[in-house]
Amino acid sequence: MEAELKPRFIESLQRNNDQIREDRAHTIGADSELIYRRRIEDIELKIKRLEREQEGLIDISPLDRNSLTFADFQPEAFVQKDIELSLTIRNLNIQLEVAVKRFEYLFGKTF
């Protein structure tokens, strides 16, 4: 039974510089890849939410099904908000494109 036990602490102390660097490189690389992947997913989520919000701006349904009066629709506010959302979505799409290209370059994996 004792022959099966491995002294991990002693083995760790006996590692050479190459082994230590390799272990650290794997750890740093894995953490960085995970964080990069999450950041890209966060950008994708922001884009989807903003696109839904933008589509919601178009919904100017009447107050109820028997009414012909639309809710307090303000054209100026609609145009301003729609343009702001469009620009934000555009910027996020650029960020997404750049982040995906960098991810693939840095980690050698397709996203």
Side-chain angles (χ1 to χ4, degrees), residues 10-105:
I10 302 299
E11 287 178 353
S12 178
L13 292 173
Q14 293 173 340
R15 293 182 305 157
N16 65 32
N17 282 340
D18 289 341
Q19 292 168 326
I20 292 170
R21 283 180 177 208
E22 185 176 341
D23 289 347
R24 288 181 184 166
H26 285 293
T27 301
I28 292 168
D31 287 353
S32 299
E33 180 181 344
L34 182 62
I35 293 168
Y36 224 108
R37 186 176 296 278
R38 285 183 179 171
R39 184 70 53 95
I40 290 171
E41 290 169 349
D42 288 346
I43 294 170
E44 289 174 331
L45 181 60
K46 284 179 188 176
I47 291 169
K48 287 179 185 177
R49 286 181 175 167
L50 290 172
E51 287 172 342
R52 282 188 214 120
E53 183 179 345
Q54 192 173 34
E55 283 300 310
L57 290 176
I58 298 172
D59 182 10
I60 52 172
S61 301
L63 297 172
D64 63 44
R65 66 182 220 174
N66 295 324
S67 174
L68 297 176
T69 305
F70 290 101
D72 295 332
F73 182 74
Q74 299 171 342
E76 290 290 328
F78 166 77
V79 170
Q80 180 65 33
K81 184 69 174 177
D82 190 65
I83 290 172
E84 287 173 11
L85 288 171
S86 295
L87 291 173
T88 303
I89 291 168
R90 178 180 175 269
N91 289 338
L92 286 170
N93 277 316
I94 292 169
Q95 286 179 24
L96 179 62
E97 181 183 332
V98 169
V100 167
K101 284 182 182 178
R102 286 299 294 172
F103 176 87
E104 291 173 351
Y105 172 75

